[in-house]
Amino acid sequence: MKKLTIKEFARAINMSVSTVSKALRDSHEISSSTKQKVVAMAEELQYHPNPYASSLRRKKSKTIAVILPEVADSFFSLAINGIQAVAEQKGYHVLIYLSHDKYQNEKAFIDDCGSGRVDGVLISVSQETVSASHLRQLQSGNVPVVFFDRSLSGFETASVETNDFECGYIAAQHLLQNGCRNISMLSISGCLSICQKRTDGFLAALEEAISKDETISGSITELGDKHEMAMQQIADVLQNSNSPDGIVASAESVAIQVYLATSKLGVAIPQQLKVVAFSTLETAEILNPSLTTITQPAFDIGKTAAEILFKAIEKPQFTLADEHIILPSRLVKRQSSTGMVFAEMTLSM
Amino acid sequence: MKKLTIKEFARAINMSVSTVSKALRDSHEISSSTKQKVVAMAEELQYHPNPYASSLRRKKSKTIAVILPEVADSFFSLAINGIQAVAEQKGYHVLIYLSHDKYQNEKAFIDDCGSGRVDGVLISVSQETVSASHLRQLQSGNVPVVFFDRSLSGFETASVETNDFECGYIAAQHLLQNGCRNISMLSISGCLSICQKRTDGFLAALEEAISKDETISGSITELGDKHEMAMQQIADVLQNSNSPDGIVASAESVAIQVYLATSKLGVAIPQQLKVVAFSTLETAEILNPSLTTITQPAFDIGKTAAEILFKAIEKPQFTLADEHIILPSRLVKRQSSTGMVFAEMTLSM
DNA sequence: CTGAAAGCGCTAACAT
DNA sequence: ATGTTAGCGCTTTCAG
C-alpha cells in the first residue's frame, strides 16, 4: 500500500486539502458531518498525516526528551513510567537518551534537543555535570527544561526532587538509634546535588549525636564511578582498622555492591554491619537480609515533572523557575538495620 | 538568542544555502577548507539545522521506535541499553513506547509509527497481542520491524530471541535433578510465544522424567495479568492439596511474587520448595535465599535486534524474514534450587 | 462553511 | 566548487 499524502487523500474523497486538514484537526470551521466523513475515510484509506510536515509548519514537535543517566535502575525506570503516563495522555512522544553519567553524552543530546526537535526536556543530570551552559543554550531557544531527581544549582528552572537532606538525616539517625557507633556514608558522587544533600543530612545527624556522645564517630566515602573500583573501595571501608558498624548507601547500585562485598568478606548484616539504602528496589523485601530503604516516590517524581513541563509547553508565559516540588521519601525499616529475626538466629547457633 | 534558519546563517557567513547544507552533510562537492569554515561558524553562531525540515525533505527521520511492555523490568531495561548503544553510534534517536501489555496501546503506538515518524521499529509484543494486522500495516508502509525477545508467529520478519524451549527443559530438569518430585510452571501468559516455548520445554523434561519414574508429577499455571490476582493464584498453588516442591517462574515479576508469597505463607525455600526463575535480576545473588536463574543475554538481545534493524534501514532490499537469531541464556545455579547452605542450617536448628 | 495558495526550513537537482 | 530554485507534505491565512 502506497503512502498517501493529504493531496491524494483529499482528491480521493473529493474534498479540498484544507477541508481535510481542518477536519482532522477538529477545526470549528468545519461542519461535524464533514468531519465525521473525513475521519471515517482517513481510517478506511489509512491516511496518516506526515508528522514532520506538520511539525515543520506548526513549529511544534509533539515530542519531549528525557535525558537520564541510566535506565537499568529501578528509580529511573519507575520515573520513566510516570513520565510516559502523562506524555501518552497528552498525545506526546517520548525520546529517551541515556547519558551513562557522562557529561559529553549529555551535552550532545541536549544540543540535539535544540533546533525544534522537542518541545521540552526532562533531565536528571549526569554525575559529571557541573556547568549549565548546555542547558542555558536550550533555554535561550525557548525549550523548557525541568529537572527531576538530580538538579543543578545555578540554573533557574523547575525541579521535582525528594527531601534528600532530611532523608540523609533520618537514615543516619535510624542507624544510631539501632545501636551503631561508627557510621559511614557511601556516596556515588560529591558533585551531585542530591548526594551532597544526603551527605549533609547524614552529617547533621552525626554531629548532633557526637555532641551528646563523644564515642560516636562517622565518615564519608565518595565512590569512583567504575563498578570495580567502587567494589574495592567498599571492601576497603569494611576492612578498615576502624570499620563502620553502620552504612548509608546513597543509591541502589551502592546497596547491591555493599551486599556483594559483605557476602564475599563474610561480614554479617545486620549483626556486624547495619545498612540503610536510598533505593526503590522491588526486591528490597526479599533480600538476604531484607533491606531497609529510603524509598523515593519515583513514579510520582516522573509524573509531576512531566506535568510541570507540559504546563510550560502549553503556556509559554508559565514561570518554570517558581516551581520547586519536593515529594518526600519514606524510611521503610527492614532487617538490614533492625535485624531482630536474624540476631536471634545467630544467638542460637 | 533567536533560532537561525539555514538562509539566515548562510547570509551571515556569506555563502549560499546549498553550500552550507552540503558542507554540513559532508558532501564531496565541497572543498574541505569550506567545510571546516562552515562547521566552525555553525558552532560559533549556534546554527542547528531543523531536523523536521530535513526529515520532510529526505524522507528519513533518523529515529527508531522501541515498543515494549514495560521498562521497570531488568530484562527490558538492559535490552534498551543495548538498543540505545547502537542507535547512538548510528546517530539515531530512540522513541520509547510502553504498551503495559495492552494490545490497544501497542496498536495505537504502531499506527503512530507509520506515516514516516520512524525509520524502523523494534518490538517486544504485549501479552494480549494475537493478531499481526497492525504490524502488517507498518510493513506495507515500508517500515522495517524487528522482534526482540517476544515475537509473534504468523508474521514474517527478523527476530532476536533466546533459546526458550531449551531453557524450559533445563529448568525443569534442574529441579528434578535436585530432588523435586512435583514441579510446577508458573507462566505469565499462554498466548506469549516465549512462555509457550518455555512451557513446552518444561513439559518435555517432565514427560521424559515421568516415563522413567511414574511417581513424578507436574503442572502448569497461567497467571492472570493483575498483580493481586497472580499473587493469590501463587498462594493457591502453594497451598494446594498436592502442592509442588519445585517451581519454574517464567518471568522476573513471577519470581518476586513467589518469594513474597512463600515468605507470607511460611514456606521455606529451598527446603520445602525449590525455585528457578527466568530473570536477569541484578539482585538474584543477594536474595534470601539467592535465586537460581535462567539468565537471558538481555543487553545483547537488544543490541543485536537494533543492529539487524539498521541493516534493513540502510539497505531496503535486505531480507528481514531470513534473520532469526537465537542468543542462548544460561542457568546460574544458586541456593533457591540447590540450597546446600540453608539445608544444613535448618538441620542444626 | 469550503477552497486556493503561500510558505515552514531544508535538500538536491540543475545551472553556473 | 559554488549558487539558484523547486518542492517535500502540511497548516493557515485569505478569498469566496
Side-chain angles (χ1 to χ4, degrees):
Chain A
M1 201 192 311
K2 212 202 144 283
K3 215 165 279 175
L4 243 39
T5 70
I6 196 173
K7 225 167 164 178
E8 295 162 341
F9 174 61
R11 183 155 27 221
I13 65 169
N14 239 318
M15 290 187 182
S16 82
V17 170
S18 63
T19 304
V20 168
S21 176
K22 285 169 187 164
L24 289 176
R25 318 201 114 267
D26 201 24
S27 159
H28 56 144
E29 305 179 33
I30 302 292
S31 75
S32 57
S33 70
T34 311
K35 279 181 193 168
Q36 290 186 349
K37 213 173 300 174
V38 172
V39 170
M41 290 308 290
E43 171 68 19
E44 163 126 15
L45 300 183
Q46 285 292 318
Y47 167 66
H48 298 285
N50 180 313
Y52 297 133
S54 173
S55 292
L56 177 57
R57 191 53 235 260
R58 311 189 68 203
K59 297 174 183 311
K60 273 285 187 183
S61 64
K62 281 275 181 183
T63 303
I64 62 172
V66 180
I67 301 176
L68 34 64
E70 183 52 73
V71 65
D73 172 297
S74 58
F75 174 83
F76 289 120
S77 58
L78 289 169
I80 289 176
N81 271 345
I83 292 166
Q84 192 87 39
V86 356
E88 191 178 330
Q89 185 212 323
K90 295 274 182 186
Y92 267 66
H93 301 260
V94 179
L95 284 169
I96 298 263
Y97 300 95
L98 305 179
S99 69
H100 295 295
D101 271 318
K102 299 288 167 236
Y103 175 73
Q104 279 311 322
N105 292 337
E106 180 176 300
K107 177 166 169 32
F109 297 141
I110 292 271
D111 287 350
D112 246 330
C113 289
S115 69
R117 183 180 294 280
V118 298
D119 298 343
V121 172
L122 292 169
I123 183 170
S124 206
V125 300
S126 88
Q127 279 181 38
E128 296 181 357
T129 304
V130 289
S131 146
S133 59
H134 56 321
L135 295 173
R136 246 180 280 285
Q137 206 75 249
L138 257 192
Q139 211 174 38
S140 70
N142 281 317
V143 179
V145 179
V146 174
F147 289 122
F148 69 99
D149 192 49
R150 300 182 180 182
S151 64
L152 201 55
S153 60
F155 181 75
E156 276 305 307
T157 192
S159 63
V160 180
E161 300 169 89
T162 189
N163 53 343
D164 288 301
F165 178 90
E166 195 181 334
C167 287
Y169 184 94
I170 289 171
Q173 196 181 47
H174 173 72
L175 288 176
L176 294 167
Q177 281 172 351
N178 279 270
C180 295
R181 317 296 295 167
N182 178 16
I183 60 179
S184 184
M185 174 84 175
L186 299 181
S187 166
I188 46 171
S189 162
C191 303
L192 232 38
S193 68
I194 58 167
C195 283
Q196 194 53 60
K197 287 180 197 162
R198 289 170 187 178
T199 301
D200 288 348
F202 172 91
L203 278 177
L206 179 61
E207 280 163 14
E208 196 179 300
I210 291 175
S211 74
K212 290 179 194 154
D213 176 349
E214 290 186 1
T215 69
I216 283 174
S217 63
S219 64
I220 290 165
T221 304
E222 265 179 43
L223 302 173
D225 44 354
K226 293 191 62 175
H227 269 216
E228 288 173 14
M229 240 180 70
M231 185 62 131
Q232 187 54 52
Q233 279 180 281
I234 291 171
D236 289 348
V237 168
L238 295 180
Q239 295 179 302
N240 200 313
S241 58
N242 75 332
S243 63
D245 56 5
I247 273 190
V248 179
S250 74
E252 172 174 317
S253 61
V254 177
I256 292 175
Q257 290 185 336
V258 167
Y259 267 56
L260 291 173
T262 53
S263 127
K264 189 181 287 178
L265 298 174
V267 174
I269 303 175
Q271 296 89 333
Q272 296 169 262
L273 182 72
K274 299 200 190 321
V275 178
V276 36
F278 284 80
S279 144
T280 55
L281 269 177
E282 204 186 349
T283 51
E285 178 71 39
I286 55 176
L287 291 186
N288 182 20
S290 65
L291 174 64
T292 294
T293 57
I294 303 282
T295 299
Q296 303 97 332
F299 181 92
D300 284 331
I301 288 177
K303 176 164 170 281
T304 306
E307 281 166 352
I308 291 175
L309 182 65
F310 280 113
K311 278 190 198 160
I313 288 174
E314 282 161 7
K315 43 177 198 167
Q317 74 276 27
F318 185 81
T319 311
L320 275 173
D322 293 349
E323 301 284 318
H324 293 285
I325 310 279
I326 304 286
L327 299 178
S329 300
R330 57 182 225 286
L331 174 69
V332 181
K333 298 177 190 173
R334 299 202 185 86
Q335 293 176 359
S336 68
S337 64
T338 59
M340 287 163 305
V341 172
F342 271 68
E344 282 165 28
M345 278 180 53
T346 306
L347 291 176
S348 72
M349 296 207 312
Chain B
M1 202 193 308
K2 212 203 145 281
K3 214 165 281 176
L4 243 38
T5 70
I6 195 173
K7 224 166 163 178
E8 295 162 341
F9 175 60
R11 182 156 26 220
I13 65 170
N14 241 319
M15 293 189 183
S16 80
V17 284
S18 66
T19 304
V20 168
S21 175
K22 286 169 185 163
L24 289 176
R25 318 198 114 268
D26 200 26
S27 158
H28 55 139
E29 306 180 31
I30 303 292
S31 74
S32 57
S33 72
T34 311
K35 278 180 194 168
Q36 289 186 350
K37 212 173 301 173
V38 172
V39 170
M41 289 309 289
E43 171 67 18
E44 162 124 19
L45 301 183
Q46 284 294 317
Y47 167 67
H48 298 286
N50 180 313
Y52 296 133
S54 173
S55 292
L56 178 58
R57 190 55 233 257
R58 311 189 66 206
K59 297 178 181 311
K60 273 285 187 182
S61 65
K62 281 275 180 181
T63 303
I64 62 172
V66 179
I67 302 177
L68 34 64
E70 183 52 75
V71 64
D73 172 296
S74 58
F75 173 83
F76 289 120
S77 58
L78 289 170
I80 289 176
N81 271 344
I83 292 166
Q84 193 86 39
V86 356
E88 190 177 330
Q89 184 212 325
K90 295 272 181 187
Y92 266 67
H93 301 261
V94 179
L95 284 168
I96 297 262
Y97 300 95
L98 306 179
S99 70
H100 295 294
D101 271 317
K102 298 287 167 232
Y103 175 72
Q104 279 311 322
N105 292 337
E106 180 177 300
K107 177 167 169 30
F109 296 141
I110 292 271
D111 287 350
D112 247 330
C113 289
S115 68
R117 183 180 293 280
V118 298
D119 298 343
V121 173
L122 291 169
I123 183 170
S124 207
V125 300
S126 86
Q127 280 181 38
E128 295 180 356
T129 304
V130 288
S131 146
S133 59
H134 55 322
L135 295 174
R136 246 179 279 284
Q137 206 73 250
L138 258 191
Q139 211 175 36
S140 69
N142 281 318
V143 179
V145 179
V146 174
F147 289 123
F148 69 100
D149 192 48
R150 300 181 180 184
S151 64
L152 201 55
S153 59
F155 181 74
E156 276 305 306
T157 192
S159 62
V160 180
E161 301 170 87
T162 189
N163 54 343
D164 288 300
F165 177 90
E166 194 180 337
C167 287
Y169 184 94
I170 290 171
Q173 196 181 46
H174 173 73
L175 287 176
L176 293 168
Q177 282 172 352
N178 278 272
C180 294
R181 317 295 295 167
N182 178 16
I183 61 179
S184 184
M185 174 84 176
L186 299 181
S187 165
I188 46 172
S189 162
C191 302
L192 232 39
S193 67
I194 57 166
C195 283
Q196 196 53 61
K197 287 180 197 161
R198 289 169 187 179
T199 301
D200 288 347
F202 172 90
L203 278 177
L206 180 59
E207 280 162 15
E208 195 179 301
I210 291 176
S211 74
K212 291 179 194 154
D213 177 349
E214 289 188 0
T215 67
I216 284 174
S217 63
S219 65
I220 290 165
T221 304
E222 265 179 43
L223 302 174
D225 46 351
K226 294 190 61 177
H227 269 216
E228 288 176 14
M229 240 182 68
M231 185 61 131
Q232 187 53 52
Q233 278 179 283
I234 291 171
D236 289 348
V237 168
L238 296 179
Q239 295 180 301
N240 200 314
S241 57
N242 74 331
S243 62
D245 56 6
I247 274 190
V248 179
S250 73
E252 170 175 318
S253 61
V254 177
I256 294 174
Q257 290 185 335
V258 167
Y259 267 56
L260 291 172
T262 53
S263 127
K264 191 181 287 176
L265 297 175
V267 174
I269 303 176
Q271 297 90 330
Q272 296 169 260
L273 182 72
K274 300 202 189 320
V275 178
V276 36
F278 284 81
S279 145
T280 55
L281 269 176
E282 204 185 349
T283 51
E285 178 71 38
I286 55 177
L287 290 187
N288 182 20
S290 65
L291 174 64
T292 295
T293 56
I294 302 283
T295 299
Q296 303 97 333
F299 182 91
D300 284 331
I301 288 177
K303 176 164 170 282
T304 306
E307 282 166 352
I308 291 175
L309 182 64
F310 280 113
K311 278 189 198 161
I313 289 174
E314 283 162 7
K315 44 177 197 165
Q317 74 276 26
F318 185 81
T319 311
L320 276 173
D322 294 348
E323 302 283 318
H324 293 287
I325 310 278
I326 304 287
L327 299 178
S329 299
R330 60 182 221 286
L331 174 68
V332 182
K333 297 177 190 174
R334 298 199 186 89
Q335 293 176 358
S336 68
S337 64
T338 58
M340 289 164 304
V341 172
F342 270 69
E344 282 163 29
M345 278 180 54
T346 306
L347 290 176
S348 73
M349 295 208 314

